Amino acid sequence: MHEPARSIGAVQHGLAAQLGIAPDRIRVISGPIGGHFGSKFGLSQHTALVALAAKRLGCAVSLVPTRRQCFTIANYRPESRHDIRLAADRNGRFTALVHEADVITSRFDPFAMEGTDVTASLYACPAVRTEERAVRVDRNTPGPMRAPPEVPYLFALESAVDEMAWELGLDPIALRRRNDTATDPITGKPFSTRPLMACFDAAASAFGWERRLPRGERLRDGPWQIGLGCASSVRPVKIAAATMRLRLFPDGSAEVAAAHHEIGNGITTLLAMGVADRLGVPVERVRVRLGDTALPPAGISGGSSTTTSLMTTLMLACDHLRAHLARAATAPGRPLEGCDAGSLVLADGALAEPDGRRLSLGAAAGLEDPEGIEVVAEFVPPGSKPRALEDLRSGHIGLTTGGDALSWAFGAQFAEVHVHAETGEIRVPRLTGAFAAGRILNPLTARSQLVGGMIWGLGSALLEETVLDGATYRNPDLAEYLVPTSADVGVVEALLLPDPDPSVNPLGVKGLGELGIIGVNAAIANAVHHATGHRIRRLPIRIEDLAQH
């Protein structure tokens, strides 16, 4: 089965259950995925039908759905409705928070997009109540399409926080600072790190927040009303069990392989860089194989867990390989006989002992097998279920946020909005974000992901909407379903802040792929209010929403 999917293990085992055949009789291949957030969450509803057709006809069968068809055969971002009640004393200390949410799901599947776990724990508050209700409707099952679950939930909360700041006459950043917390108000657990206000300080300085006028005063540029808004961006760090094969060949090249996916985030390059860094192999001599169930299982590409899970597994694989090479090189009759294997160091692509004897990694790899040496690493994160590896091999998705502390990635989003006083036209000339997500392994790809997420957030705030007329989708094409284009996007700046956190995993890595979109829609809505005095609580914000006022 050749199909783009974010969890080929789930496709393999789900298809096996539907067809009534053994999973090892099914091979799923998924090359580099375009449109990762575009409905490739799990096993598609049409996959088994294609397999049955191929079996019936005795030949390969391809199904290429149109975009219009994907509206009914794939998952989508579900509608949700939020009721936020936020109370504070006159000093701006939160005293109570209620967040109730209704989100739709299908009649045949209980999957629902959660998010109040994050809004309940973001700020210090002594009394918190949350409730999420899944409403079953006659539609296909939703999923995390174009955004993680937290996006609509944080829009609701961060809009309410901004409104509270307005009512109290406080700067929105100052209100958040007064309610910052080092511990989770729900469980009492500490945050492993909590650089939220450091993100606000860095982003505010780069953005020029000091230009923001207080309540009742507005910036203008001719007919354009100018507003500045901000919002928090947070997401729990998720990590999963994974396995990986690492091979070193006598010619000094290496290969790393796992049944994971390249979704455009650059994990192929990151894995090659990791091998080069830990083994001293030139990065151009590292081959990376992904996207095939014939490779060691490695779970889902989702929840911003790819780097946290795979790079930790790769670290274990490199350590196993180095230990194996050292034992082989110091055995009787071998080039480094008599040397303590534990004293060998890896330098310039060779094993070296303190007295100066050296053996290239390629030569060490060929000592026991002319084809080279191979190791398989198995990683199970702390807090996982006892059967985490068995569940992984069975195609189950097993993300965890376990541990004695809450490990989150943090950010602060800032938006400058211009609203035309006569036409209601909305422009966003500037977006600035500052993000702290543990150790950044590749700043280039990390910054690119964050900028892309912020642009998606612009689409969430002002453009993206599926229009239903009864059971009919009215805008199932890119002419009517609006997404940001170059003309819509102004200057987008993403700052990376240091966030050392050795407790989160051995590498100190936190996921950031989905962090960039969270909070952007709230920052833009808050800026619209600052510019116009109108509080818009429904997305996307359109000209007609402002014209009604």
Side-chain angles (χ1 to χ4, degrees):
M1 177 63 67
H2 293 260
E3 181 171 1
R6 294 165 56 189
S7 180
I8 51 178
V11 174
Q12 178 190 32
H13 287 268
L15 192 59
Q18 289 180 329
L19 300 180
I21 60 178
D24 59 10
R25 300 284 296 167
I26 297 175
R27 181 183 180 189
V28 181
I29 299 172
S30 180
I33 299 174
H36 164 247
F37 255 128
S39 76
K40 299 174 177 68
F41 182 57
L43 178 63
S44 299
Q45 300 170 27
H46 53 270
T47 303
L49 299 178
V50 178
L52 289 171
K55 183 177 181 180
R56 178 75 59 88
L57 297 174
C59 64
V61 172
S62 294
L63 172 65
V64 183
T66 67
R67 176 176 172 82
R68 287 178 174 269
Q69 291 167 338
C70 287
F71 274 71
T72 52
I73 67 173
N75 42 56
Y76 55 94
R77 188 191 304 178
E79 297 96 322
S80 59
R81 181 178 294 124
H82 302 261
D83 182 6
I84 291 276
R85 282 164 278 174
L86 182 62
D89 61 25
R90 294 194 176 276
N91 293 320
R93 308 285 184 182
F94 295 157
T95 57
L97 167 66
V98 176
H99 189 170
E100 298 176 345
D102 296 293
V103 61
I104 69 168
T105 188
S106 63
R107 293 199 183 276
F108 57 87
D109 194 325
F111 179 84
M113 299 283 280
E114 78 293 341
T116 57
D117 57 326
V118 173
T119 57
S121 301
L122 180 52
Y123 298 113
C125 189
V128 178
R129 182 172 68 82
T130 64
E131 182 178 355
E132 297 178 48
R133 297 178 290 265
V135 181
R136 295 185 180 274
V137 297
D138 294 314
R139 290 166 64 185
N140 43 317
T141 302
M145 199 279 283
R146 287 188 67 76
E150 291 84 0
V151 167
Y153 290 83
L154 262 295
F155 171 72
L157 177 62
E158 290 301 285
S159 296
V161 171
D162 191 80
E163 187 167 349
M164 178 65 75
W166 190 264
E167 292 297 326
L168 291 171
L170 290 174
D171 182 276
I173 301 177
L175 179 61
R176 289 177 174 86
R177 197 182 306 276
R178 294 185 187 188
N179 292 282
D180 196 24
T181 176
T183 60
D184 176 11
I186 305 303
T187 65
K189 287 184 176 182
F191 285 91
S192 59
T193 62
R194 176 81 183 196
L196 177 62
M197 297 318 302
C199 291
F200 270 100
D201 291 341
S205 176
F207 182 74
W209 183 251
E210 69 278 0
R211 295 172 51 226
R212 186 180 189 272
L213 297 178
R215 174 175 173 170
E217 301 180 49
R218 298 196 174 98
L219 293 168
R220 293 186 71 106
D221 181 9
W224 294 94
Q225 304 170 96
I226 301 175
L228 308 181
C230 65
S232 297
S233 174
V234 297
R235 193 155 203 272
V237 176
K238 299 187 178 182
I239 192 167
T243 63
M244 183 178 293
R245 184 175 69 227
L246 178 61
R247 298 184 66 184
L248 184 66
F249 298 94
D251 65 358
S253 66
E255 179 185 272
V256 58
H260 210 74
H261 318 81
E262 174 58 79
I263 62 172
N265 61 346
I267 189 61
T268 302
T269 301
L270 204 55
L271 288 168
M273 291 172 57
V275 173
D277 179 59
R278 299 192 74 85
L279 295 184
V281 177
V283 69
E284 63 271 11
R285 303 214 65 196
V286 182
R287 295 185 295 274
V288 178
R289 295 180 59 198
L290 301 171
D292 190 337
T293 53
L295 305 175
I300 186 174
S301 175
S304 297
S305 66
T306 294
T307 302
T308 56
S309 305
L310 263 63
M311 294 306 292
T312 305
T313 310
L314 177 66
M315 181 193 70
L316 293 178
C318 289
D319 290 346
H320 293 341
L321 184 63
R322 291 171 62 175
H324 197 125
L325 291 173
R327 289 193 300 269
T330 57
R334 299 292 171 77
L336 301 181
E337 177 183 359
C339 181
D340 178 13
S343 70
L344 294 177
V345 296
L346 188 62
D348 300 324
L351 290 170
E353 64 170 345
D355 66 9
R357 284 190 296 172
R358 296 169 58 86
L359 181 67
S360 72
L361 289 181
L367 288 174
E368 295 184 335
D369 190 330
E371 298 297 322
I373 188 172
E374 173 184 303
V375 298
V376 175
E378 298 177 343
F379 168 65
V380 178
S384 299
K385 295 179 180 179
R387 289 178 48 84
L389 285 175
E390 289 82 356
D391 289 344
L392 172 67
R393 296 187 178 102
S394 299
H396 295 290
I397 298 171
L399 298 178
T400 181
T401 58
D404 297 328
L406 265 66
S407 295
W408 285 17
F410 291 89
Q413 305 276 13
F414 285 73
E416 178 179 329
V417 168
H418 294 188
V419 181
H420 198 282
E422 297 177 1
T423 67
E425 179 186 352
I426 307 171
R427 295 179 180 176
V428 183
R430 285 197 308 140
L431 292 173
T432 300
F435 305 93
R439 180 184 175 190
I440 304 299
L441 299 179
N442 189 332
L444 179 64
T445 56
R447 189 172 285 106
S448 295
Q449 280 193 277
L450 291 168
V451 168
M454 294 167 73
I455 294 171
W456 276 17
L458 171 64
S460 170
L462 301 180
L463 300 169
E464 297 182 37
E465 181 180 24
T466 301
V467 180
L468 275 168
D469 182 5
T472 303
Y473 292 92
R474 304 301 300 173
N475 60 334
D477 56 65
L478 290 176
E480 298 291 338
Y481 185 93
L482 305 178
V483 296
T485 66
S486 296
D488 301 305
V489 181
V491 176
V492 182
E493 182 181 14
L495 309 175
L496 297 173
L497 272 60
D499 179 27
D501 189 356
S503 68
V504 66
N505 51 56
L507 288 175
V509 174
K510 296 180 178 180
L512 59 70
E514 296 162 313
L515 187 64
I517 187 175
I518 298 171
V520 178
N521 49 18
I524 291 175
N526 294 338
V528 168
H529 175 262
H530 183 240
T532 67
H534 302 313
R535 181 73 63 181
I536 309 299
R537 297 185 175 90
R538 182 183 183 277
L539 296 179
I541 302 171
R542 297 281 176 81
I543 289 176
E544 54 267 33
D545 296 316
L546 295 173
Q548 292 174 0
H549 296 278

